[in-house]
């Protein structure tokens, strides 16, 4: 059953993504599809870890919900310029890192909204499109496009890590 699978997969994925992105306490994490089940969990766990979130949603009705869950800033990509808003929030620095399950052209938007030396971690392909990034910005500012796969991260943590990490999340 899909709900039962999410009860294990999503919390472990959230921990894996935040551990991998290695965002320091007090720094900004940008993430898309923030209104999803995983996105809402990410907001809560990031707040618990002291990481500030900039959550990207496509519907204005999701803004209040994410704020209520502990989200710091929520950007409605349907009505706001994502890059301009992120730069405003971060005072021109850009987010420390970004997490993107959408892929496609939106990955390029997220790349423009991260700091010099930052990474966009792609962990899904919801759009079904090919990734498009602005390579001049990426090269000039030493930004990285990285892939995240949950089983690979769990395996890198050693035997029993999945269960251990799930207990931490709960």
């Amino acid at each position: 059953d899909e709900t039962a699978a999410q009860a294990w997969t999503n919390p472990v994925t959230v921990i894996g993504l935040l551990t991998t992105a290695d965002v320091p306490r007090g720094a900004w994490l940008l993430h898309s599809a923030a209104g999803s089940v995983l996105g809402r969990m990410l907001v809560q766990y990031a707040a618990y870890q002291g990481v500030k979130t900039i959550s990207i949603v496509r519907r204005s009705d999701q803004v209040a919900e994410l704020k209520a869950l502990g989200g710091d800033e929520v950007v409605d990509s349907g009505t706001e310029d994502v890059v301009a808003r992120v730069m405003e929030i971060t005072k021109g620095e850009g987010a420390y890192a970004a997490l993107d399950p959408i892929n496609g052209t939106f990955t390029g938007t997220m790349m423009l909204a991260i700091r010099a030396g930052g990474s966009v971690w792609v962990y899904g392909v919801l759009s079904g499109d090919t990734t498009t990034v602005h390579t001049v910005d990426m090269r000039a500012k030493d930004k990285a496009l990285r892939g995240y796969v949950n089983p690979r991260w769990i395996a890198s943590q050693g035997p029993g890590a999945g269960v251990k990490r799930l207990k931490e999340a709960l």
Side-chain angles (χ1 to χ4, degrees):
D1 157 89
E2 186 176 322
T3 304
Q6 288 180 3
W8 185 88
T9 300
N10 284 346
V12 172
T13 301
V14 164
I15 293 168
L17 285 167
L18 281 174
T19 302
T20 301
D22 197 26
V23 179
R25 292 180 66 82
W28 290 102
L29 173 69
L30 177 64
H31 69 113
S32 58
S36 68
V37 173
L38 190 141
R40 293 191 306 266
M41 285 182 182
L42 184 73
V43 163
Q44 293 172 1
Y45 191 67
Y48 174 75
Q49 294 294 318
V51 172
K52 297 187 290 188
T53 54
I54 303 172
S55 306
I56 302 172
V57 298
R58 291 184 298 170
R59 296 190 333 259
S60 59
D61 62 308
Q62 296 172 315
V63 174
E65 177 186 3
L66 286 167
K67 290 260 191 181
L69 291 173
D72 296 288
E73 297 286 345
V74 183
V75 178
D76 178 355
S77 65
T79 61
E80 297 179 82
D81 178 324
V82 172
V83 176
R85 186 75 178 100
V86 170
M87 290 303 170
E88 176 187 331
I89 293 164
T90 63
K91 298 179 180 28
E93 185 176 317
Y96 187 88
L99 305 174
D100 181 27
I102 298 171
N103 205 8
T105 58
F106 201 73
T107 304
T109 300
M110 295 187 79
M111 185 72 74
L112 290 171
I114 63 170
R115 69 184 175 92
S119 295
V120 174
W121 292 88
V122 176
Y123 66 98
V125 289
L126 293 174
S127 73
D129 296 332
T130 301
T131 301
T132 304
V133 296
H134 306 274
T135 56
V136 172
D137 177 71
M138 190 171 125
R139 288 176 43 233
K141 295 182 181 175
D142 193 29
K143 297 178 180 182
L145 179 62
R146 308 285 309 266
Y148 174 89
V149 181
N150 216 22
R152 186 173 52 224
W153 177 78
I154 293 169
S156 76
Q157 301 298 297
V163 172
K164 178 183 172 198
R165 293 297 191 159
L166 182 58
K167 287 179 181 177
E168 288 174 16
L170 300 175

